[in-house]
Amino acid sequence: MERGAPTKSGRGEDLDKAKVKKLIENLRAEIHQHDHFYYVLDKPKISDGEYDKLFRELQGLEKKFPTLVTPDSPTQRVGGEPLKAFKTVKHGIPLLSLDKANTEEEMIAFDKRVKDALKEENINYFLEMKYDGLAISLKYFKGVLTNASTRGDGVIGEDVTNNIKTIRTVPLHLQEKIDIEVRGEVILPNEDFLKLNEARAEKDEAIFANPRNAAAGSVRQLNSKITSKRPLDFMPYYGSSQPGIDTEEKIMKYLFKIGFKSNPYLWHFNNIHDVIKYIKSLEDKRGKLQYEIDGVVVKVNSIDYQKKLGATARAPRWAIAFKYPPIQGLTIIEDIKVQVGRTGAITPVAHLKPVNLAGVTVKRATLHNEDEIKRKGIKIGDHVVVQRAGDVIPEVVKFVKEKRTGKEKEFKMINKCPLCGEELFRPQGEVITRCINASCPAQVVGRLILFCMRGAMDIEHIGPALAIQLYEKKLVKDVADIYTLKKSDLTKLERFADKSAQNVIDSIQGSKDRPYDRLLFALGIRMVGSTVASLIAQHYDSLEDLFDVKAAELTKIAGIGPKVAASVEHFFSQKENQKLIERLKNQGLPIKTKKVKGPQPLKGKTFVFTGGLDKISRTDAEELVRNLGGHPSSSVSKQTDFVVAGHEPGSKFDKAKKL
């Protein structure tokens, strides 16, 4: 069938709608299949660009025919309007806890209890990693996800369906049309956890103590759009009874068959001594795993035996969790050096005498910031206790006072960036010292991604993967270099043909028409989002006018506080940043407010848009407001003059009515 929505016309409308419904169903099936290849099997069949094209086509059709949107559509993963609170859900079968074991003797005692109760000498045990995440129950009706809830107290949980739908390894539509409950852990890969904490630290947000806290905090967001931005994963460990399935091993194989991710760490043994031997061998490897674990779950493999053994009020008698001890070690801080983050945050790092923690040799540990070093009283040369926080991030817990010799040295924060040599800046009242040179090598990729994203310069064909390639191949060293790229530069890159290279060049050239406030936002000035950029652009006609601006002047603008003003003043006072803006100007970018011809009836008025608009995109509508002298804003406040409410307006509309 040819893609594209058929036009409605008279008596053919029902037939056309039937064609559209079939087309939508085919698109969904195709996208679900590619999601399975990419996220579950890790074997993508098409490029990201081809996938995005399919997804946009589905979005377009569902927008034109909203009555055809279904809960299992891939478009429902992106998150919706924030909730005021979670609803509660009563579990049909309680989510029990597991009894714990910490010693070999406790495991042997568990084995004896099982054998005595079953009056059997040979028991096959099934083992799986005890992932440290958030337990979730998923309910499917005829193969479609209908509900997702947290464990809660085991009997009553919270309905987090909208948030769970954003997790790509949770199938919205199973490969078989069955009714089933699937339970598992929502987890966060260790590498992604580190990146998430790094990003939060750079924004002066509280960092998560471990991946479990990060996963739990993400799932319990009232705004599912926040959850959708977290790289969460789902690992199943239970499926409700299905015909012909009589062991734990078969359950896991069946869950993989119907669309769930396969747990790569599954074993079974015929005696408890082999179980114990394997648990011990795994302890040394735990630090090298992709996910955080805190033990191993041991289950009786036979479902029939499980039913005979039953459960106590709090835990099944047929399973036990062997828990590993915390990971800590004693070593010496040989030096403290700083590293520069992607947004310029300067982080002190302890260089350690190598110490082995759970099979991983640790040579460095974070000290977070200058104030944290002072609070803990840590010095260079100290004997210190080091632990892998949440079994992932090595950190210094404390120094050992009894081992001090008097030769230890105080740490002093440097005043110039070790990568670009520019003066460092620590905003008043904040704990993070920063390099704010936009051309600093450590910050280039992050700034490239922000610069090209939608809402900034909207260079559609440059995403994170291409931004990294451009920097690594030394084709760009800052955002201004984007505008010097030639098609011949791109065709040398992997997966770039003539047409795809031309698409990138066209999108780069097209971005030169963006309004000046979008460029201001795209520069990545700390604390300057699209709303602040628009406010500044209303009061200053050019970026060059900001080169000598003072914070005191900026705070006179309603909506700009002293911290934001200080950040803007400091950014534009830097010679390197001024040179960058001059280069952007020379490339033809709009560093000045366009002079609007004709009347400006909306001058001085603030507009907020919410919901879908029929005949114009929100971006175009905001541009129209600017051309008529008004100011488009992203948030509703007492300073807002007009709220334009389209289809299905969100919380902004509710706030406007209250004000």
Side-chain angles (χ1 to χ4, degrees), residues 22-37:
K22 183 64 177 175
L23 176 57
I24 286 176
E25 288 173 351
N26 289 342
L27 276 170
R28 285 177 187 153
E30 192 173 355
I31 292 170
H32 279 311
Q33 190 66 35
H34 286 300
D35 279 344
H36 185 71
F37 284 134

Side-chain angles (χ1 to χ4, degrees), residues 61-271:
L61 288 170
E62 289 186 343
K63 186 175 182 180
K64 290 180 181 178
F65 299 90
T67 58
L68 298 180
V69 178
T70 59
D72 64 322
S73 173
T75 61
Q76 301 308 294
R77 289 192 186 276
V78 297
E81 292 297 324
L83 301 173
K84 292 181 179 177
F86 292 115
K87 296 177 182 177
T88 57
V89 175
K90 185 172 183 179
H91 300 300
I93 301 174
L95 275 76
L96 301 178
S97 299
L98 289 173
D99 286 331
K100 309 293 189 298
N102 300 104
T103 66
E104 183 176 338
E105 290 73 24
E106 288 172 326
M107 291 301 298
I108 292 171
F110 163 73
D111 178 59
K112 186 176 186 303
R113 289 196 300 272
V114 168
K115 289 177 177 177
D116 288 349
L118 294 173
K119 295 180 172 55
E120 293 283 348
E121 283 301 316
N122 297 312
I123 304 295
N124 185 260
Y125 289 110
F126 185 79
L127 278 64
E128 61 192 27
M129 294 287 196
K130 187 177 183 301
Y131 292 104
D132 200 12
L134 182 71
I136 293 290
S137 165
L138 308 175
K139 291 179 181 174
Y140 290 84
F141 178 67
K142 293 185 178 179
V144 176
L145 178 65
T146 57
N147 178 265
S149 56
T150 62
R151 179 184 179 279
D153 63 4
V155 178
I156 303 291
E158 292 177 314
D159 186 335
V160 289
T161 308
N162 289 341
N163 290 349
I164 295 301
K165 281 183 176 181
T166 70
I167 303 173
R168 298 287 182 168
T169 46
V170 172
L172 303 180
H173 196 285
L174 300 178
Q175 305 285 343
E176 296 181 9
K177 294 182 178 180
I178 57 168
D179 299 345
I180 190 172
E181 179 186 5
V182 177
R183 295 174 180 177
E185 295 280 318
V186 172
I187 51 181
L188 191 67
N190 293 336
E191 186 176 340
D192 290 313
F193 169 66
L194 295 174
K195 290 177 181 177
L196 175 61
N197 261 352
E198 180 185 331
R200 291 178 69 84
E202 289 169 349
K203 295 176 185 176
D204 294 334
E205 297 175 348
I207 63 171
F208 292 109
N210 50 52
R212 184 194 182 283
N213 286 1
S218 300
V219 169
R220 297 196 71 260
Q221 289 286 337
L222 292 173
N223 186 345
S224 57
K225 288 181 179 177
I226 296 175
T227 309
S228 70
K229 295 175 183 176
R230 305 273 171 85
L232 299 172
D233 206 345
F234 179 78
M235 199 66 74
Y237 57 70
Y238 164 87
S240 57
S241 178
Q242 299 295 316
I245 295 178
D246 56 4
T247 67
E248 284 286 331
E249 184 179 12
K250 288 180 181 178
I251 288 174
M252 299 310 297
K253 287 181 178 178
Y254 181 69
L255 292 179
F256 176 65
K257 177 185 174 184
I258 61 175
F260 287 93
K261 193 168 185 175
S262 176
N263 188 333
Y265 303 109
L266 303 174
W267 314 268
H268 56 94
F269 298 98
N270 287 321
N271 66 76

Side-chain angles (χ1 to χ4, degrees), residues 315-358:
R317 294 189 179 94
W318 45 266
I320 195 165
F322 186 93
K323 297 272 284 184
Y324 290 126
I327 303 173
Q328 285 192 338
L330 185 68
T331 186
I332 299 171
I333 296 181
E334 296 180 331
D335 200 357
I336 297 176
K337 296 182 179 179
V338 302
Q339 64 184 24
V340 188
R342 285 175 293 144
T343 61
I346 305 294
T347 304
V349 176
H351 287 238
L352 309 169
K353 183 177 180 181
V355 58
N356 188 288
L357 300 179

